[in-house]
Each structure stands twice: as C-alpha cells, then as structure tokens.
Amino acid sequence: MLRSAWICSRCLFRAIERPSRRWQRSFRTTTRLSHLSENLLTRARAIASEHATLKKQLEKDYDVQTAKRAGELSRTADLLKELERLKDALRELDNLIRDPTTDNELRSLASDDVSDTNSALETTTQALTNSLVPRHPFEDLPCLIEIRPGAGGSEAALFAGDLLHMYQSYCVNSGLPYSLLKYEDADGVGDPNGSDRQLTEAIMEVNGTGAYGKLRCEAGVHRVQRVPATEAKGRVHTSAASVLVLPSFPDDHASGEDFNDPKSDFFIDLKEVRQEVMRARGAGGQHVNKTESAVRLTHIPTNTTVSIQDSRSQIANRDKAWRLLRSRIAQIRREAREDEMRDMKRSVVGVAKVGRGDKIRTYNFQQQRVTDHRSGFSIHSLEDAIEGGSSLEQVMDSVRKWMIDQEVAQLVAIESNNT
Amino acid sequence: MPRLPYHLLRLTSKSPLLQLLLRECRDLESARNELRWLREHAISSVQNAGGHRDERNDSWKPLLRSLCVKRASGKPLQYLLGSEFFGDIEVACKPGVLIPRPETAAAVTYFAERLCSAARKLPSTLRVLDLCCGTGCIPLLFQHVFAKNWPNARDPPHLSLVGADISADAVQLAEHNRLLLQQSLTGRSNAGSTWASRHALDSTAFFQADVLRPEQSPNPQGIPDLMTVLRQIDVPEWDILISNPPYISSQSFHRDTQRSVRLFEPKTALVPPRPGSSDPGTSQDLDEGDTFYPRLLQIAQDVGAKIVLMEVADLQQASRVAALASDTSVWDGIEIWRDHPRGKGPHLEKCRGEFPVRGSGHGRSVVCWRGEGTEWLQMM
C-alpha cells in the first residue's frame, strides 16, 4: 500500500506514464559503408575518367604538373576499377549459384567465394571512401593534448589526472614518444610524480608522425560517472574534464608551414604579443640573484595567454611558450574557419561535427562501461580503457570511422547541393 | 627581512622542504620551481654516482634535504646546481666566482646582434677583450650569438676573444666553461654557425691579470698587470672592450644587495677595492663604486678600442660614467642602455639632456664608440 495519504495528480501520472523519450538514449549508428552512395560513385567515376584523359595526354607529351595530378587521382581510379571487378565477380557468382544446371560441389565453392568477395568488396569500398575524403591537413603532425578539469570540483580534477594517465599509457602502449610540457596543480607548477594536489592543467606533447591524426578524435568533453574517492556517502557523481587536441608544429619550416608568411595560420605579428618576464625587483644587476625564469606571452587581439616556467633557462621557456602560443592561435584561426564552413554545411547536413561544447564520451565505473556518444560505441572493459589498453584503441577506432562517415556524408550533401 | 605571510606557511605545512626554500625564495611559485630543479638535480647526481637507475629509489632524498637546508641559509641555487643559464648557453658556476646575471646577457646579446646586422662593415678580424670576466660568460655568449646571427652569405670574421680576471679561480672556471661549450659542439652537425663557433672557441683564452693596477707597478700577490699580460700574448690592439667590473659601493653593498649575494658571492667581484692613497692616478672625489671606470676608459684608449661596453648599477652611475667618458673627449658618441635595450618604452630618450638612453628597465650599460665603431654600431 501507499504510505502517503494522498498523491498529487502530477506524481501519479508520472508514475504510470511510460518512460518518456528523454530517458531513452539515442545512439547514433554508423552508416553502412558496404554500399557507396550514388553521389560518391559518380564522383569516383568522374575522377576515373579525368585520370584516363590525363594519362592519354601524358602519353603524347610529358608534363610535370599533369603527371602530378594524374598521380593524385590514380589511387581513386585503381580502387574504382577494383570495385567494378569485384562487383562483376559477385554478379557472376550469383548467377552461378542460381543456375539450376550447376552441380552441388561447384555451388558450395561458389557460395564460399561469395563471402570472401563480399569482405574484399567491403575493404575496397572503405579504401575508396578514404581516398575520396580529403585528408586532414595536419594529420601527419605531432600533437599537443591539453587536459583541464570541468564541472565537478575536486572529483573532476581527479578524473583529469586519470585521463592524463590514460593518454600517457596509451602513448606508451602504441609506441608514441611523449613529453609533459606542463603540469599544474592547485598551487602552481607541480610534480607529476609526487604531487598530491589536484590537477588544474596538464599539457602533453605527443611526438611521432601521425599523432594528431590518431588522437584528434579525443578532443571534447569527457564525462565520468562514479563514486569518487572524496565521497563519504557512496553517491554516484557525474563530473567532466575537457580534452583539447591541437596539432603541434615543429620548430622549423619542416611541415611546410612558414611562420613568417602572413597567410599562414601560424603567423603571429610580433607587435601583437606582449611578453612579460618576471624581472628581478629592486636594483637588479649584481645586487640581486634571482632564479625566476618564467615567461608569459599574451596575444592581445585574441587575449590568449601562455605562461611557462619549467626550465631554468628563460630562453628555453620563451621558445616553449612561443611554440604553444602559435599552436593555440593556429587552432583558433582554424576553428573560426571551420565554424564558417560548418555554418554553411549545417544548412545541408544538420549537426555534423561535434563542437567542443558537447560531451563526447562517458566513463561509467559502476557498469564498467565506456561509451562514445558520437559513434554510439560501448565497451564494457573500462579498466583496460582507462589504462590506455586495446579497449581504448577500439573506442578511438570507432570514432575515427564515425568521423570519416561524417565527412563522407558532408561530401555527398555538398555534391548533391552543387548539382 | 619581513616575516613570511601566515597563509604561505599554512599552504606549505605538508612540505617541510618547501618551507625551507620559502625562507630564501619568499614566494610560493619560485619555491616550487626551485624544489623541482633541486629534486631533478639530486636524482640525477645520485644516478650519476652509480646509484640505482630507479627513480623510486629513495637514496636521493637525504641529498635533496641537505640541498634545501643549504638553500634556506641563502646559498645561491646556481652554486648548488653548479650552473646557470646565460642567454642561450649554460655556464658552470662555483663558489668564489660571481654568478652571471640575466641583465648582462641581455646587453651582450643585443650588442652582438647589432654588430651582426652591420656585417658588411666589420673587419676580417675582430678582437674582443673582456675585463673582469668571472665565469667567462661574456666572451662565450658573444661568440655564440655572433655565430648564430651571422648572415649566411658572408664569411664570418675571425673572432679573437680574451678574458682577464684577477681571481685565479675565475680564470680556471672560465677555461673550464670554454671546454664545456666546445664539447657540446662536437656532436653537432657541421653547419656554418657550429663551424664558426668552434673556430672562435679555439681562439678564446683567459688570463689572470690585475686590471686596476697601472703598467709596470708590482702587485703584492704577484699577479701581473693587464698591459704586461697583453704584451706577453703579443696582441696590443683590441677592437672591442667589454667589462662587467665590480660597481657596488661598500655602503650600497650593505644596504641594497640581496642576502644570498652578500653572504655567498665573492665580494671582490661586487665591490671595487678601496683606492689606497698611495695609488697614483686616482682622484679622491671619485664615487667608490666608480673606481674601475676611469681605468677601463684609459685601457680602452691604450689598446685602441673602437667600442666600449661597460655594465653599471643604475642610471645615476650610468650618467656619471658617461660623463667620465665624455671628459676624455676621444669618443665620438656615448649611449646608455637599460636592462632590455630592445625592449619597448621610449626608444631613445635624452637623459638630463646629455646622453641618449635606450630600452626599458634600469640603466645598465654605458656604450662608447669612435671611428669605425660608429659604423659597426650603425650610429650614423
């Protein structure tokens, strides 16, 4: 029996009502890649025909520009040829199986072949899609991962520390060299090994080619649901930490980016940067002996501030600060450009790319579950994921596939809009 | 010294080492930085001593503690760690020799960069004399900046650098620093700047000499005077004279200097010796901190220097020294540089209507030039 003497009508309705839609999580599902959209196929065919004409042209007279263009297109053309061949083979096998005159042995062989051909078709389709989707311009670069706690107080800070640990182990497991550029806790610069204070900001640099391509799917808000170490009553808390992944640019012009070229994203006008060094107070010179070497750079137009005090050498700190500032400014500029693009695309494809504001992944400790909200992929081996193991790789892989999906969808939408 | 604020003590109550360091650092941020550097130093020195290669091993902890105790007593961090960063290079430091200061590095870097930008006008051999060289940081940084900024299209001039100091310890340490820098170059690629740097380091030398003592007058400790040394190495002519002499008066030494400087750094490198009445050529109305400058200007004339760069304590001393230089009426131009000659702020202002002042910060250096030096500095 009900204990209360009366129940208000609203509560009553709520009790009998079926769970409303807002309780149901809608997982996004990956679009099937096994069948290419018609638009993409048309695009691939157009590229293939262009490739053919270029090749003919090259036979007549050789030209470096044409050869280069043909080389770019050849991969798509080859893959398309392979795809057509596989499709033909599949059709023939199908005919063979349906033909009543075929004897049983041949039929079983053919049906075996069908599954092989199907899987080959799938990989070829995937490869063709990849070749059509433009490569991310910074994919080959090393990257910077910045981790900051979000909503959730000290628990969020603990979680941010866990995330840092997760990416460090991930880098170790996948053989990516990394270094900790900055580790700051509540008191300022902290020691990543011995600090018991809460993390407020950590920046790690992951070296090795393609690090940005591998890790860019990690950018966004990560959410944790667990009973925190700081909780006395055993309640589950939900907190968040933000992860920012920026491409990191080498010191020199190795990446083809010229810092002195005003058109480059990394160009920073020296006049727009205020450099503050912690100067010795008082008379200076021989009178004092200060060990402070902190350098703070402020990019005035965007109000971006970078402060570095890791090294005893002020020069080294300054170089590091500049590197960080350039990366941040470039990212801001790129994001501004992408926002513009996105606004354009949004009218076509709806919410396509997930901005920084949305949560992208949940780590649920009680269910031992990691769910990525973009790909809708869940895995129930949280311990392994948080230790940077293969489960994390699986999750990240699902996101990478999802990202390609999204780009394909956009491409298709844009193509169909243009025609 | 004022008391440490209570909130700082409470914040660091869990870390006794941090509290020790706070006594000298006075603020949390630098105390934390110093603790980190000291810990790294302690761990690496235990490892280098053949200890376990395991960071979790605690054998470095007693060492760290003793380092922090020493630091709390005021001993400079650079003496504990054994080195200091001077501009782009790291120089070894040890007790008994003045620790290089960042202001000196700023002036020397700016000076060398400016010479490089006038590459067309420089002679094929550039001889640079550094008096009161201490750790030898000035010639070493000078050649480093010079090699780095030299335009690729031209052959760098042959740099001939000599440093002189009255202290035998300093001369020894300077030579040690030269070797360290040379070693650090051996592994590098054979790029132009490395080659130029190696070449310049080969022709760098340090000698013990008494700068203040006039020619041919004996020094009680048997240290030869500068002119005799220069004659011995057979280079009587020098293009550029740089010096960071002791410039603090004994009154200012007790009033203005930081505790760790007063207690742990060599006083001979900070306070000029009191001129004895028997010494010839010293005027009695000279400020005690200025003792070295008339002598330096005299040497500059004797060796035919085209440019002189001298560090001073503040703008007052700078204008006194500039006045001394202008009294000799051999210099075509005199300028005062502040701590950051390239820094923002009024680019060139007239100090009391007499000498132009460049940059931002405290008045730090006096630069005099004449003849070809005008073109080298592009002071047209």
Side-chain angles (χ1 to χ4, degrees), chain A residues 117-412:
Chain A
T117 318
N118 260 328
S119 66
L121 191 66
E122 183 125 353
T123 48
T124 315
T125 314
Q126 182 77 56
L128 184 60
T129 319
N130 285 354
S131 79
L132 285 174
V133 172
R135 272 170 60 78
H136 194 281
F138 301 152
E139 208 149 89
D140 288 336
L141 293 175
C143 68
L144 299 170
I145 304 181
E146 305 187 14
I147 302 171
R148 286 186 199 81
S154 52
E155 155 69 354
L158 289 177
F159 178 57
D162 290 345
L163 280 182
L164 177 68
H165 177 69
M166 178 174 92
Y167 289 125
Q168 283 174 331
S169 330
Y170 173 78
C171 289
V172 171
N173 290 341
S174 47
L176 293 166
Y178 70 90
S179 61
L180 209 54
L181 277 192
K182 182 171 184 181
Y183 186 95
E184 246 174 41
D185 57 27
D187 293 337
V189 175
D191 171 41
N193 301 318
S195 172
D196 53 347
R197 305 284 301 181
Q198 292 142 5
L199 174 73
T200 56
E201 185 181 16
I203 302 177
M204 61 188 274
E205 183 173 31
V206 185
N207 293 310
T209 44
Y212 183 67
K214 270 195 190 128
L215 286 160
R216 76 188 169 106
C217 57
E218 295 301 289
V221 175
H222 293 237
R223 188 172 73 163
V224 65
Q225 291 170 323
R226 64 176 171 192
V227 182
T230 51
E231 166 68 46
K233 292 180 184 161
R235 290 171 294 198
V236 175
H237 286 214
T238 301
S239 345
S242 74
V243 175
L244 212 64
V245 182
L246 309 171
S248 164
F249 297 92
D251 297 335
D252 298 329
H253 312 226
S255 67
E257 290 286 349
D258 187 0
F259 293 158
N260 298 321
D261 174 16
K263 274 175 267 167
S264 153
D265 274 353
F266 308 95
F267 174 76
I268 295 180
D269 192 350
L270 289 179
K271 289 188 205 93
E272 291 178 347
V273 176
R274 188 171 63 231
Q275 179 177 329
E276 292 160 83
V277 287
M278 308 305 157
R279 286 173 189 167
R281 286 172 288 275
Q286 289 173 3
H287 296 85
V288 294
N289 171 24
K290 273 279 171 191
T291 57
E292 277 165 293
S293 57
V295 173
R296 182 160 56 193
L297 297 177
T298 311
H299 187 240
I300 299 161
T302 54
N303 207 12
T304 311
T305 305
V306 174
S307 160
I308 295 283
Q309 49 184 328
D310 285 357
S311 165
R312 280 168 59 216
S313 160
Q314 204 167 61
I315 306 272
N317 282 339
R318 200 185 58 197
D319 290 351
K320 235 181 203 180
W322 269 103
R323 211 160 69 222
L324 210 57
L325 186 71
R326 278 191 208 282
S327 292
R328 284 208 188 147
I329 299 290
Q331 182 70 8
I332 287 172
R333 287 182 184 153
R334 210 178 109 81
E335 261 171 25
R337 222 175 33 224
E338 277 189 350
D339 276 352
E340 217 171 272
M341 290 284 285
R342 186 161 59 201
D343 284 347
M344 197 190 79
K345 286 170 186 168
R346 204 168 246 169
S347 56
V348 191
V349 287
V351 185
K353 283 192 175 171
V354 172
R356 286 188 300 167
D358 321 44
K359 70 167 187 281
I360 56 152
R361 194 178 294 162
T362 297
Y363 302 79
N364 189 313
F365 276 67
Q366 281 181 323
Q367 298 170 16
Q368 289 288 304
R369 168 176 63 87
V370 180
T371 299
D372 197 284
H373 301 287
R374 293 165 299 182
S375 60
F377 181 81
S378 280
I379 194 161
H380 285 271
S381 53
L382 183 130
E383 291 299 334
D384 184 43
I386 210 96
E387 286 298 325
S390 59
S391 311
L392 181 65
E393 183 61 49
Q394 281 179 43
V395 176
M396 284 166 70
D397 217 45
S398 77
V399 181
R400 281 181 213 127
K401 277 206 184 107
W402 174 85
M403 282 174 133
I404 290 174
D405 259 18
Q406 292 301 307
E407 302 225 343
V408 171
Q410 278 178 23
L411 266 182
V412 172

Side-chain angles (χ1 to χ4, degrees), chain A residues 282 286 288-289 291 309 312, chain B residues 33-34 83 101 244 258 362:
Chain A
Q286 289 173 3
V288 294
N289 171 24
T291 57
Q309 49 184 328
R312 280 168 59 216
Chain B
N33 279 333
E34 288 196 4
S83 75
R101 303 290 200 262
N244 177 13
Q258 206 185 343
H362 295 287

Side-chain angles (χ1 to χ4, degrees), chain B residues 34-262:
Chain B
E34 288 196 4
L35 182 59
R36 190 155 44 87
W37 296 325
L38 283 172
R39 185 188 290 130
E40 281 162 12
H41 175 73
I43 291 173
S44 72
S45 46
V46 164
Q47 281 178 356
N48 288 345
H52 301 277
R53 298 239 162 247
D54 190 359
E55 214 171 276
R56 277 164 293 176
N57 187 302
D58 284 353
S59 55
W60 51 270
K61 282 193 172 166
L63 177 62
L64 177 62
R65 197 182 150 71
S66 75
L67 286 173
C68 288
V69 169
K70 280 184 196 154
R71 181 74 185 119
S73 73
K75 189 160 185 177
L77 184 77
Q78 293 90 337
Y79 286 160
L80 294 173
L81 301 182
S83 75
E84 166 71 331
F85 286 89
F86 187 68
D88 263 357
I89 59 173
E90 189 176 2
V91 291
C93 294
K94 68 175 187 192
V97 184
L98 188 82
I99 298 163
R101 303 290 200 262
E103 290 90 348
T104 317
V108 171
T109 307
Y110 175 69
F111 181 55
E113 281 172 0
R114 226 165 119 174
L115 287 181
C116 280
S117 63
R120 282 183 300 121
K121 292 171 181 143
L122 291 188
S124 60
T125 307
L126 201 60
R127 286 155 303 184
V128 182
L129 182 62
D130 176 30
L131 300 181
C132 312
C133 65
T135 54
C137 54
I138 293 179
L140 298 180
L141 181 67
F142 183 86
Q143 64 81 19
H144 179 85
V145 178
F146 206 81
K148 208 172 74 176
N149 287 287
W150 188 260
N152 284 331
R154 306 183 70 85
D155 279 340
H158 174 70
L159 280 183
S160 163
L161 303 147
V162 161
D165 202 289
I166 195 167
S167 146
D169 283 349
V171 173
Q172 214 177 359
L173 184 64
E175 180 59 23
H176 174 66
N177 274 323
R178 184 181 76 88
L179 291 175
L180 280 183
L181 203 58
Q182 225 165 16
Q183 275 168 19
S184 73
L185 287 178
T186 46
R188 301 266 186 83
S189 67
N190 221 358
S193 65
T194 318
W195 180 84
S197 207
R198 210 175 283 151
H199 210 66
L201 284 175
D202 282 340
S203 50
T204 303
F206 298 96
F207 299 99
Q208 192 181 13
D210 188 342
V211 174
L212 266 187
R213 199 150 289 269
E215 200 167 349
Q216 300 299 340
S217 62
N219 173 299
Q221 283 94 41
I223 301 167
D225 70 88
L226 180 73
M227 284 310 181
T228 312
V229 169
L230 292 184
R231 209 170 308 112
Q232 274 166 8
I233 60 171
D234 210 18
V235 193
E237 295 259 308
W238 294 86
D239 300 311
I240 293 168
L241 188 141
I242 308 179
S243 180
N244 177 13
Y247 54 62
I248 302 175
S249 65
S250 43
Q251 192 192 9
S252 173
F253 180 73
H254 292 292
R255 195 187 50 206
D256 299 329
T257 53
Q258 206 185 343
R259 185 176 67 135
S260 75
V261 174
R262 204 162 51 237

